[in-house]
Amino acid sequence: MLTLMQPPEIYEDAESLGTMIASLMHLIELKSTNLFLHSHQVANYAVSVAAKMRLPREEIERIRHAAMLHDLGQITVPNAILAKMPYLSTRELSVYKNHCNAGSNMLENIACCQELIPYIRYHHERWDGKGYPKRLKGVNIPLGARIIAVADHYDRFINPCTQNWAKTKPEAVRELLSLSGMDLDPEVVRAFIDALG
């Protein structure tokens, strides 16, 4: 039977995955140095949370790789729209929101990236089911995507290389707590705050 899926052994080739991620990160850096730095920060936070939640090492690595590429689809969003964030028209917001699908679609035919796709596609889903692109709710959102969502929110609040930077660490933690149970998984938020120390 002819299939586009590759045999499981191909997913274990860490060298090709590392090479692929390095190439894709270079594309992100060409788009925006700030987006590149944000991607690294989100990956660092996501790994800390996954470790705090005592996830298996292989899953932590998967989450790290997906977190690095979570905003890959933003390379398809025009710079004029990214520069206006968060003040977008309805049409511009629609273009921006498509970055989750665009990023995961870019990886569809790359065998070593298959396990990363759900984490990238669903990192803007919300715990209460009001996110995008599929309006998944609660535990229907893959755990890796929920972890990346918390790390992404925090980094946007605290990191000077992101457009929303305006909060101190305690303010950003309070913001996460206020989003817990609505936008974000409460268990992941608790683990994130514990990991921050």
Side-chain angles (χ1 to χ4, degrees):
M1 183 170 114
L2 185 62
T3 176
L4 292 176
M5 291 299 293
Q6 300 295 327
E9 308 85 64
I10 199 137
Y11 298 122
E12 295 168 13
D13 187 359
E15 189 175 315
S16 67
L17 180 60
T19 304
M20 183 58 62
I21 288 175
S23 299
L24 294 169
M25 288 302 291
H26 182 65
L27 287 176
I28 291 171
E29 187 174 22
L30 289 173
K31 175 71 171 182
S32 165
T33 304
N34 288 345
L35 187 58
F36 177 79
L37 295 172
H38 169 67
S39 298
H40 277 286
Q41 281 298 108
V42 170
N44 290 338
Y45 290 133
V47 165
S48 298
V49 175
K52 182 59 93 173
M53 296 178 78
R54 301 182 191 280
L55 299 180
R57 200 172 111 224
E58 302 77 33
E59 179 65 6
I60 293 173
E61 275 302 292
R62 250 189 308 279
I63 291 169
R64 181 173 74 83
H65 292 136
M68 294 284 280
L69 301 177
H70 77 283
D71 277 339
L72 175 64
Q74 285 196 26
I75 65 176
T76 68
V77 179
N79 287 340
I81 291 178
L82 292 176
K84 285 179 66 181
M85 283 294 290
Y87 308 105
L88 302 179
S89 69
T90 305
R91 187 193 65 75
E92 290 166 337
L93 187 59
S94 175
V95 170
Y96 175 79
K97 283 184 173 182
N98 193 50
H99 81 271
C100 303
N101 284 324
S104 51
N105 290 343
M106 285 181 214
L107 302 177
E108 274 184 350
N109 295 321
I110 303 172
C112 61
C113 295
Q114 295 303 297
E115 294 180 331
L116 311 181
I117 290 173
Y119 299 167
I120 293 167
R121 181 167 282 144
Y122 302 126
H123 77 275
H124 277 293
E125 296 290 354
R126 288 178 37 163
W127 187 250
D128 62 7
K130 295 179 181 173
Y132 57 90
K134 292 282 187 191
R135 294 186 170 272
L136 298 180
K137 184 176 184 177
V139 295
N140 292 321
I141 306 165
L143 178 59
R146 287 182 267 152
I147 289 172
I148 292 168
V150 173
D152 184 36
H153 267 79
Y154 181 80
D155 192 61
R156 274 194 270 133
F157 294 138
I158 201 80
N159 191 339
C161 74
T162 59
Q163 69 272 9
N164 300 329
W165 181 56
K167 293 179 170 49
T168 63
K169 180 178 168 180
E171 289 171 333
V173 167
R174 279 195 298 277
E175 186 82 29
L176 285 182
L177 288 169
S178 73
L179 296 171
S180 178
M182 291 185 331
D183 288 18
L184 307 171
D185 178 344
E187 183 184 351
V188 175
V189 170
R190 279 193 300 275
F192 185 90
I193 291 169
D194 289 347
L196 278 179

